[in-house]
Amino acid sequence: MKSIMRHFTKRDWGAVAGAVVLIALSVWLELLMPDYMKDVTALLITPGSSIGELLWAGSKMLLCALASLVVSILVTIISGFLAANYSYNVREKLYDAVEGFSMAEINRFSTASLITRSTNDITQVQTIIVFGLFVIVRAPLMAVLAILKIADHSTEWTFSAGVAVVLVIIVLGVCFIFAHPLFRRIQMLTDNINRITRENLTGIRVVRAYNAEDYQKKKFEKANYDLTSNNMKAHRIMSIMLPSMLLIMNGLSLIVYWIGAYLIDGAPLAEKGQLFVDMTVFSQYALMVIMAFMMLNMIFIMGPRSLVAARRINEVIDTKSSVTDGKGVEHTDVEGEIEFRNVCFKYPDAADYVLKDISFTAKKGETVAIIGSTGCGKSTMINLIPRFYDATEGEVLVDGVNVREYTLEQLHNKIGYVPQRAVLLAGTINTNVAMGDNGSEGYTQEDVARAIEIAQAKDYVEQYPEGYEHPVAQGGSNLSGGQKQRVCIARAICRDPEILIFDDSFSALDYKTDRELRRSLKENTAGVTNIIVAQRIGTIKDADKIIVLDEGKIAAIGKHKELLRTCQIYHEIGLSQLGEEELNNV
């Protein structure tokens, strides 16, 4: 429970304290009822008892029951508040933790698992708080006080109740030991089924285009079978608990009355009535003890899965990002400059380096292009600039300062980043282009319109009836690939950054739009440093500096014409896209 309670606020602890007091009051009221029953039973077997005395004793029992009901309702209300507040706080902590993760932590947990932990796992813990607070406090308190009440009665009765309690504890313990690992696996299998479902939904067009519905269905059926099978195993074990509890409870009742009959049969006539009353009261208290443990049955069913869910939540919250804020930089002597000094990089837990001894400088206003074969480390290299990862060795400097010294907000305010895969959020053209901030108070409509025009998106955006308020579906699914790329480019331009990073961000554009966009960028973003990762020679031929990467190393640096003569790799890339004559005329 420590893994759950660590997220309680002072207000939550106040609610817990109030609930505990109310639960204790409820237990005390319920434990009074057998005493009043004793009075009623005694009056019934005592000659000369009046109806008024019976009604008064019965009324006290009824009042205790009603008071206990009211108190239980109040406890339920408090538990509901506590569960809702816990979910709110933990969901917020999870979101903040994930937002602060570098790509290393995101890849470690996986997107599907993080979604499960933020939804299903929190729901599991919320459920145990709603039902668990009442039961966890009430059951032990009820059991202890009821045992104290019956401890001074017959040794035989007390011994029989003790044996029943021991049997109940054994049943609960055995079920918990065998069920806990299965409940832990349930959460991992839930991650898996979420991953497959997410893949199928995001890739539905590809699945249908290749008639792969049956293949995907088999993957889902296997994941579904594994989850269902594991659930069945866990619940078969837990299903033993309730019948076992009922058997022990009914068996205890039978033994209590059997012992009572034996004692009454052997007692003198004057003591028979008192023994009958004691037996009635004892049976009530003994059943209260067993019922207290039966209530714990519910916790033992829900508890293992909830505890696993709580640990998974805490695992995310307690994970520290490998990329953290620096102390901050107040002033730099240069602006818009990027320098790599002997940079090497390998992914966490990887054996080989992806980048090896990378060194170059991009001056303010320069356009530096990066080209190379697939998998040579181009995207990885530019991901070190905004610190999506940190260099394993060497230094990455922006404006003459190591990127590790900036706060992440400072660093990102200098950069306009366009990812390889165009990412748009549900909203409108306006909200996507004017997303975030750049240390300013916000963007005007003129800023958005200017960025859209530079990105060569004006022609289609202004054709929409809603114009800049045209709705964008989740992931930009209602826009074409080229349209999405241009909106993403406009978003980066709108920030008016010192540095623009394009990670193969022109691939979905036709050659004419590509050319017009580069011309527009050159005219309207003078003084901005451009880092362009591209596959097409035509996109980068006018760059001030072209870096050719080969297997994580810099094979050559130079201009287009120079590299055609001096770099065999660059020449081969050009030939693969254009003929010899066309290449020389580019």
Side-chain angles (χ1 to χ4, degrees):
M1 293 301 294
K2 185 180 178 182
S3 57
I4 297 175
M5 293 188 294
R6 57 175 285 193
H7 299 294
F8 283 4
T9 63
K10 289 183 179 179
R11 189 180 177 188
D12 294 337
W13 282 114
V16 170
V20 169
V21 171
L22 289 172
I23 292 168
L25 176 60
S26 173
V27 170
W28 177 72
L29 289 168
E30 288 193 32
L31 288 173
L32 285 177
M33 285 192 280
D35 291 334
Y36 292 133
M37 180 178 285
K38 178 180 179 180
D39 295 340
V40 171
T41 306
L43 287 169
L44 286 171
I45 64 174
T46 302
S49 298
S50 67
I51 295 295
E53 290 175 318
L54 282 170
L55 289 174
W56 173 240
S59 297
K60 287 190 285 185
M61 281 186 66
L62 181 61
L63 286 173
C64 279
L66 290 174
S68 179
L69 174 64
V70 171
V71 171
S72 297
I73 291 171
L74 290 174
V75 172
T76 303
I77 293 170
I78 292 173
S79 298
F81 159 79
L82 195 60
N85 202 45
Y86 170 89
S87 298
Y88 175 85
N89 291 330
V90 171
R91 201 174 287 118
E92 196 170 61
K93 288 180 181 179
L94 265 174
Y95 185 84
D96 289 342
V98 174
E99 283 292 295
F101 282 170
S102 71
M103 295 309 299
E105 286 76 44
I106 295 289
N107 293 336
R108 170 188 159 190
F109 286 107
S110 84
T111 304
S113 180
L114 288 172
I115 291 172
T116 304
R117 294 172 199 239
S118 301
T119 52
N120 182 274
D121 285 4
I122 290 179
T123 301
Q124 294 295 329
V125 180
Q126 186 177 11
T127 303
I128 198 70
I129 291 174
V130 170
F131 297 105
L133 176 63
F134 185 78
V135 175
I136 290 170
V137 176
R138 176 188 171 85
L141 193 61
M142 175 73 79
V144 171
L145 293 179
I147 288 171
L148 290 176
K149 284 273 191 179
I150 64 177
D152 59 345
H153 286 73
S154 165
T155 304
E156 294 89 343
W157 280 333
T158 304
F159 178 76
S160 63
V163 171
V165 168
V166 170
L167 290 174
V168 167
I169 292 172
I170 290 172
V171 170
L172 292 175
V174 169
C175 290
F176 183 83
I177 289 169
F178 285 100
H180 188 266
L182 293 171
F183 280 117
R184 182 177 183 82
R185 190 161 187 267
I186 283 173
Q187 297 307 107
M188 291 187 288
L189 292 172
T190 303
D191 286 348
N192 187 45
I193 205 166
N194 281 347
R195 177 185 60 79
I196 292 171
T197 303
R198 185 171 178 269
E199 282 180 351
N200 190 57
L201 291 174
T202 54
I204 190 69
R205 284 180 290 185
V206 174
V207 171
R208 288 177 178 172
Y210 285 87
N211 291 327
E213 289 92 343
D214 288 342
Y215 172 73
Q216 286 296 107
K217 185 178 179 181
K218 287 176 183 176
K219 281 175 64 178
F220 179 82
E221 284 178 348
K222 184 180 185 310
N224 194 24
Y225 174 79
D226 290 342
L227 179 59
T228 304
S229 177
N230 198 83
N231 264 313
M232 292 293 288
K233 289 177 184 176
H235 289 293
R236 281 192 197 106
I237 293 171
M238 302 311 286
S239 67
I240 298 170
M241 293 175 68
L242 185 59
S244 300
M245 295 285 196
L246 290 172
L247 178 63
I248 294 168
M249 182 179 71
N250 293 325
L252 178 61
S253 298
L254 183 62
I255 290 170
V256 165
Y257 283 108
W258 183 80
I259 292 172
Y262 173 78
L263 292 174
I264 291 170
D265 182 58
L269 183 62
E271 297 178 8
K272 289 182 185 291
Q274 184 59 44
L275 279 172
F276 177 76
V277 172
D278 288 345
M279 181 183 69
T280 304
V281 173
F282 185 91
S283 66
Q284 290 298 311
Y285 282 127
L287 289 179
M288 282 183 176
V289 174
I290 301 302
M291 285 298 294
F293 284 100
M294 283 191 69
M295 285 191 294
L296 283 175
N297 172 51
M298 180 175 64
I299 300 303
F300 275 83
I301 290 174
M302 297 188 299
R305 190 171 180 183
S306 299
L307 291 176
V308 168
R311 292 190 191 104
R312 282 161 49 90
I313 291 167
N314 291 336
E315 185 182 6
V316 176
I317 293 174
D318 293 339
T319 297
K320 303 300 180 185
S321 176
S322 56
V323 175
T324 56
D325 273 340
K327 61 184 180 181
V329 178
E330 293 183 6
H331 174 73
T332 58
D333 295 327
V334 293
E335 186 178 290
E337 183 176 290
I338 300 170
E339 183 181 357
F340 277 58
R341 290 183 185 171
N342 308 114
V343 170
C344 299
F345 176 78
K346 64 179 178 180
Y347 288 103
D349 302 322
D352 298 326
Y353 282 88
V354 178
L355 299 174
K356 305 162 192 172
D357 198 27
I358 302 296
S359 296
F360 72 92
T361 302
K363 299 289 186 182
K364 176 180 172 64
E366 283 188 339
T367 296
V368 176
I370 304 166
I371 195 168
S373 60
T374 302
C376 68
K378 301 185 297 297
S379 294
T380 300
M381 192 167 103
I382 62 168
N383 283 339
L384 300 179
I385 301 172
R387 293 190 70 196
F388 296 151
Y389 296 96
D390 272 336
T392 307
E393 297 174 20
E395 290 183 295
V396 178
L397 293 88
V398 170
D399 296 347
V401 179
N402 192 314
V403 291
R404 295 173 187 262
E405 295 185 27
Y406 290 99
T407 65
L408 291 172
E409 183 178 1
Q410 278 182 327
L411 180 62
H412 295 162
N413 278 339
K414 291 176 176 287
I415 298 170
Y417 174 76
V418 186
Q420 189 172 25
R421 177 175 170 266
V423 176
L424 296 181
L425 308 180
T428 65
I429 299 289
N430 257 333
T431 59
N432 273 279
V433 174
M435 189 178 74
D437 66 73
N438 193 23
S440 61
E441 294 184 1
Y443 305 108
T444 64
Q445 187 62 55
E446 289 73 23
D447 294 331
V448 174
R450 174 180 172 272
I452 285 288
E453 185 174 4
I454 294 172
Q456 304 300 298
K458 182 178 178 180
D459 58 338
Y460 73 85
V461 169
E462 293 190 350
Q463 286 179 4
Y464 294 131
E466 308 90 342
Y468 293 97
E469 292 301 318
H470 180 71
V472 176
Q474 184 179 12
S477 58
N478 59 332
L479 301 178
S480 71
Q483 288 172 335
K484 286 193 289 185
Q485 279 196 340
R486 280 179 278 175
V487 172
C488 288
I489 291 168
R491 179 167 59 202
I493 294 169
C494 192
R495 292 172 63 80
D496 192 23
E498 297 176 16
I499 300 163
L500 279 168
I501 298 175
F502 301 97
D503 186 3
D504 200 13
S505 308
F506 305 97
S507 58
L509 306 180
D510 60 82
Y511 285 99
K512 180 184 176 183
T513 305
D514 185 345
R515 184 176 63 254
E516 290 296 321
L517 177 53
R518 285 186 284 109
R519 179 192 57 76
S520 181
L521 283 170
K522 189 172 183 179
E523 292 175 357
N524 294 282
T525 60
V528 177
T529 306
N530 291 282
I531 306 294
I532 301 174
V533 171
Q535 301 287 352
R536 296 198 302 227
I537 291 286
T539 301
I540 64 171
K541 67 182 180 64
D542 296 324
D544 299 300
K545 191 181 294 180
I546 299 173
I547 299 172
V548 183
L549 277 186
D550 182 40
E551 296 183 354
K553 297 179 181 179
I554 294 180
I557 300 178
K559 289 181 176 287
H560 172 68
K561 294 291 186 182
E562 177 189 351
L563 291 173
L564 283 177
R565 297 191 310 270
T566 61
C567 181
Q568 182 64 28
I569 296 172
Y570 186 77
H571 191 266
E572 288 174 359
I573 292 172
L575 283 177
S576 68
Q577 298 177 15
L578 307 166
E580 184 73 47
E581 183 179 348
E582 189 178 357
L583 180 63
N584 291 325
N585 291 329
V586 171

